[in-house]
Amino acid sequence: MEQLKTIGRELAMGSQGVWGSSKEFLELVKTIGEAKSKAEEERIVLAEIESLKRRIQEPDVPRKKMKEYIMRLVYVEMLGHDASFGYIHAVKMTHDDNLLLKRSGYLAVTLFLNEDHDLIILIINTIQKDLKSDNYLVCCAALTAVCRLINEETIPAVLPQIVELLNHQKELVRKKAVMALHRFFQRSPSTVSHLFPAFQERLCDRDPSVMSAVLCALYDMILVNVKPFKHLVASLVSILKQAVEHRLPKSYDYHRTPAPFVQIKLLKILALLGTGDKAASENMFNVLGDILKRSDSTSNIGNAILYECVRTLTSIYTNPRLLQNAAEITAKFLKSDSHNLKYMGIDALGRLIKITPECAENHQLAVIDCLEDPDDTLKRKTLDLLYKMTKANNVEVIVERMVEYIRNISDNHYKTEISSRVIELAERYAPSNQWFIQTMNQVFEIAGDLVPQKVAHDLMRLIAEGAGEEDEDADSHLRSSAVQAYLQILKEPKLPSILLQVISWVLGEYGIADGSHSAEFIIGKLCDIVATRPGDDKLKGYVVSAITKICAFEKAAGQTVDLIPECVSFIEELYASHSTDLQQRVYEFHAVLKLDRDTLASILPMDASCEDIEVDKDLSFLNSFVESALANGSRPYLSDNERRGMGAMTTLASNNDAGTSSLLRFQPYEKPSIPEPAAALVTASHYSQDAIDQHDIYSSAITVSTSSKAPESSSNDGTRLKLEGVQKKWGRPTYTPEAQVPKNPINISDSVKVSSSAAGKEASSRNSSAPPYTERKQPPQEISAEKKKLAASLFGSKAGDTKAKPAAKLQQNGTSKKAPAKPTSPPPPAPAPPPADLLDLSDSLPQTPSVDPVDQLADLISVDSSAATSTTSLVEQVFDAGKVATKGPSPQASLQKDAVSRQVGVTPSGGTNPDLFKDLFG
Amino acid sequence: MDRWSARWKIPMRHRLGSAILAPASPAPRTTMHRSQSLLRGSCKTSKMAIRFVLLVNKQGQTRLAQYYEQLTIDERRALEGEIVRKCLARTENQCSFVEHRNYKVVYRRYASLFFLIGVDSEENELAILEFIHCVVETMDRYFGNVCELDIMYHLEKAHFILEEMVMNGCIVETNKSNILGPIQLMDKSF
């Protein structure tokens, strides 16, 4: 029966053409609909393009036919092919007098063209004309097009007309005019900034649909700047109240919920306005409480409103009673069977814990369920939540979860995102260096090349510096365990380049340090590393440096080093490498090998990678050499300035060198007035008695070359120099006195030096060893700034900043006539955890919570156990564990116990796991 | 809701016959380019709540596409391919939200047709889910027992309805008589 009906309907449409479609069009749509594969669809569309190209250009295509062609073009583009040959016809159709054809034309144009397309200019005129039309539907069609086609430059062409239409008698036109202005605000806020009063006037429009359109615009405007709209709180609250109380026409209801989308929009706006503003927030409490009471928690739309309400409550000034309600709603979401509601619940919980961190504990089981759910979306959302609630005492288990997650996904976007979170958490809360290194190794192994180079650098430095204290034993233990771990990792195939770089460096520095591995063995491993990635020049550089160091250590210790054949061939090959960096490294290697034992010990001492290098800028060690040369009748060295002064008489007035009457210099790049390159040269040629400076420089040339930051710091000089040149050229055309740019020639040669001498580059970067070490302090700060920003945008943590003010205001108000404020001093927003220095152990130690968490847990469980009978065994376990732990000396001890149990192999997995349970919330 | 899907289901099966009913195996048919950047167009319109509305059938064929940000045809193709593949792979009892790069995609299935709305991260997913249903109800009121073919035959009408409901990436109108009024007037004038 149903089938008959549909057949009948198809026939009716085909023959009658009520809808203005020809049989041919219906046929096309049908074949597309019936296409069984993408290839078939592709074939149909390509054939269609051919036929359209031909037919659309025929003269005198009837208008109705043309509309059909244009809809066919829309199909062509929708299915992923270019239909630009027909754009002009769509533009033409916007001129049509018939409303349907005109609107179809506008529709096609908005679908085809973006606002910067060349053809737009042809439509502006039509739009202007249509905006003046007597037919309000034509007006609306034009306004709809305005929202899609007008860009920043063309706004002035239509703006006055649209402002006029704000007072059109038809509400539909007013609504669309508001939206057009909203669009202009999105594109270029300054063009409509003078219209804020007009927007506010429309907010009080007698038609609710116009009002709701204004809300869209207001939301965006308030997002940019709250201040000018603060006075609207009362009106918005009253609108919301009316909406909630069913005072809008019935036709705005959706499933018996009054104007839900208007309510949600209003709640969003109120959240922005109430952020950190106690007075404004207090205006809202009533209506928010009303919504919480009235909204129907059995329907999706009711829950959507409730969720939005929770969001608002968590961003405005806190009200404990309403927050309690919000927590109840969140609990209901989390307990729901619907995955959608669970998802919303997890999100809401993430917002709530920012204000009341303790509420997470009530939902432990629900959160763990979500975490273990096969639904990827839910799992990721839960990881977001965990990320938000990470503290020193649960970082290990949370990071473990995250690592486990990224191990199993293939999407690079999320791998990058989550691995950066892991790194952030590890840096901030790492309980021990050992753990940090292990975690980083895992991240490198999984996310590999998605990890920024800087992280690798930090890791290497951590291994080199150890705990930063004078505890050499612990440091060397850390290093040998790192070596051990890396040798283990090397057994796995397909490691990412960045991890191999770290491994090469660590093996080179510490591979033979503890004496458990022979030099041959380590060198063999290093050669294996290269063999896995033949084309990776950067890695080769690391490996050559590592081999150099090992050979030097061995020789310095009085051993002879016999290079294994693979290593010899590897080195030989690099003599002819295309990379000059690699060539230099192997030549250095060659030179180092020829040195005697004592020199080697001073050039490349063990474990000196993080010692500062003192550079003798005066080159005092050359004094004896210079003196003997002078004694032999050489000319004394003249500084650059002196030399220039001498040549001043003979010089030509140079045009480009403002002020400085310099010589015509034929060798501008060779001026050796900076000590570093000279020092480096000396190490290459004379490595004699003045070894102290030399070996430092030399070892730095090897160790620092692993630093990615170092070259940048030196190249910065280069950029700064260029700027100076620009200033000189484009600055004021006045005569620049010499005094202002006396250093110019020196600087130029300085920058050249950087590029010309690699050894000098490394030495100079090492020379300024301060920057890398100060940089070390920066990363945690950056992260915390980011966090703050995120918090500010998500939770309106401006509250933290401005909280002081409203409170002060309140006191004044309290003394005056205003109603006495409730003495509910809200809990301060969760303070952003202090940026922990990743190397500072004292900071990263687990902080002792003020209340013993195990006690809380025990209380909680004893309450819960009556309800959750299914989990009694679990509860007992946890409870027991809790008892034992409470007897222990401190929470820290119980933490250690956890750590031990984890190491033993109690991995938190499976539906309900006491360890995970405790680790997360303990 | 149940009433809805029931009404929606029956006509579709019969009309498009075996093509629709054939077991969907989207994986081999999609030759999409993973690496293509989908982020380019998004910076200019970062404030928009709704980034796109897509109607896709369960074979992954696009039935209606409306973007509220600028993307090239190739970017659209890639985006549609990736998102549709993700959504089609999900089961009934998983949640109706999928994260995709910087979008969250809210989807709802009606018989063989998927409605997908891409939103930015600050949007209320549950509300968007209901908005989809509101769109379907509105189309249903206009077409009467709407089905995939109705939308295909009257693509422009479906677009007009959407134009009335979403502007500048915002939900502007959910009142069905306000939405359909001007469109029905226009039909009369034709």
Side-chain angles (χ1 to χ4, degrees), chain A residues 768-805:
Chain A
S768 57
S769 67
Y773 281 83
T774 47
E775 272 164 24
R776 196 185 77 218
K777 290 279 178 193
Q778 278 172 356
Q781 279 173 357
E782 275 170 25
I783 289 161
S784 82
E786 261 177 34
K787 281 282 289 174
K788 275 182 194 156
K789 213 172 129 196
L790 184 73
S793 61
L794 286 179
F795 306 106
S797 76
K798 274 182 209 154
D801 306 333
T802 48
K803 196 141 280 181
K805 263 191 232 160

Side-chain angles (χ1 to χ4, degrees), chain A residues 592-605:
Chain A
V592 165
L593 280 189
K594 286 189 193 145
L595 297 178
D596 64 72
R597 185 178 161 181
D598 294 336
T599 322
L600 269 177
S602 46
I603 291 178
L604 288 170

Side-chain angles (χ1 to χ4, degrees), chain A residues 9 26 38 67 75 80 103 148 175-176 179 251 254-255 304 308 311 339-340 375 377 414, chain B residues 29 67 77 90 93 95-97 101 122 124 130 137 150 152-153 156 163-164 168 173 175:
Chain A
R9 191 158 139 195
L26 297 178
K38 203 90 191 164
K67 185 212 147 204
Y75 259 101
R103 187 148 183 202
R148 302 297 300 270
K175 176 175 80 180
K176 300 219 167 196
M179 289 317 283
S251 54
Y254 172 80
H255 292 204
E308 199 61 54
R311 274 182 73 154
H339 274 65
N340 288 343
D375 185 343
T377 310
Y414 293 110
Chain B
R29 313 174 40 194
Y67 289 84
R77 268 176 93 137
R90 296 175 67 81
N93 52 5
C95 61
S96 316
F97 321 125
R101 314 222 165 184
E122 282 303 287
N124 182 336
E130 285 309 290
E137 282 181 347
D150 282 328
M152 290 182 77
Y153 283 139
E156 76 276 17
E163 271 183 350
E164 296 293 327
N168 311 338
E173 189 66 82
N175 180 336

Side-chain angles (χ1 to χ4, degrees), chain A residues 146-158:
Chain A
V146 163
C147 286
R148 302 297 300 270
L149 300 174
I150 297 294
N151 65 16
E152 213 176 319
E153 287 158 33
T154 40
I155 287 174
V158 290

Side-chain angles (χ1 to χ4, degrees), chain B residues 52-56 80 83-84 87 105-108 114-118 128 132:
Chain B
F52 57 79
V53 176
L54 274 179
L55 267 65
V56 180
E80 284 166 28
I83 290 180
V84 169
C87 292
V105 180
V106 180
Y107 70 93
R108 200 157 177 165
F114 283 83
F115 283 67
L116 302 96
I117 295 189
I128 297 292
I132 292 179

Side-chain angles (χ1 to χ4, degrees), chain B residues 36-184:
Chain B
Q36 251 158 353
S37 159
L38 300 166
L39 308 173
R40 206 201 312 161
S42 58
C43 42
K44 201 172 181 183
T45 52
S46 56
K47 271 186 286 178
M48 282 191 184
I50 295 181
R51 309 293 193 85
F52 57 79
V53 176
L54 274 179
L55 267 65
V56 180
N57 72 6
K58 70 177 185 203
Q59 278 94 335
Q61 293 162 313
T62 311
R63 289 297 170 245
L64 183 149
Q66 179 65 275
Y67 289 84
Y68 299 95
E69 59 186 349
Q70 292 178 17
L71 295 176
T72 65
I73 294 182
D74 286 339
E75 286 167 337
R76 291 175 185 192
R77 268 176 93 137
L79 180 76
E80 284 166 28
E82 284 179 49
I83 290 180
V84 169
R85 202 165 27 194
K86 271 192 184 177
C87 292
L88 290 179
R90 296 175 67 81
T91 60
E92 291 265 333
N93 52 5
Q94 289 183 321
C95 61
S96 316
F97 321 125
V98 181
E99 285 178 42
H100 182 78
R101 314 222 165 184
N102 48 342
Y103 302 111
K104 281 191 290 194
V105 180
V106 180
Y107 70 93
R108 200 157 177 165
R109 183 179 168 172
Y110 294 89
S112 65
L113 208 53
F114 283 83
F115 283 67
L116 302 96
I117 295 189
V119 294
D120 70 14
S121 54
E122 282 303 287
E123 203 49 46
N124 182 336
E125 293 93 340
L126 214 49
I128 297 292
L129 191 66
E130 285 309 290
F131 178 69
I132 292 179
H133 194 63
C134 188
V135 172
V136 175
E137 282 181 347
T138 312
M139 287 183 174
D140 196 73
R141 185 185 286 191
Y142 180 73
F143 291 111
N145 258 344
V146 65
C147 69
E148 189 177 339
L149 264 190
D150 282 328
I151 293 168
M152 290 182 77
Y153 283 139
H154 311 295
L155 191 60
E156 76 276 17
K157 298 287 164 51
H159 267 293
F160 292 156
I161 290 173
L162 209 55
E163 271 183 350
E164 296 293 327
M165 300 181 77
V166 183
M167 290 177 94
N168 311 338
C170 298
I171 300 173
V172 278
E173 189 66 82
T174 49
N175 180 336
K176 295 185 188 72
S177 33
N178 284 358
I179 299 164
L180 296 179
I183 298 173
Q184 280 157 346

Side-chain angles (χ1 to χ4, degrees), chain A residues 860-901:
Chain A
L860 172 86
I861 295 304
S862 60
V863 173
D864 265 13
S865 56
S866 57
T869 46
S870 65
T871 54
T872 37
S873 65
L874 165 77
V875 165
E876 274 162 18
Q877 280 173 25
V878 178
F879 198 58
D880 285 349
K883 267 188 192 159
V884 174
T886 38
K887 279 177 200 155
S890 71
Q892 213 154 326
S894 68
L895 259 173
Q896 278 168 2
K897 219 176 128 280
D898 284 355
V900 171
S901 70

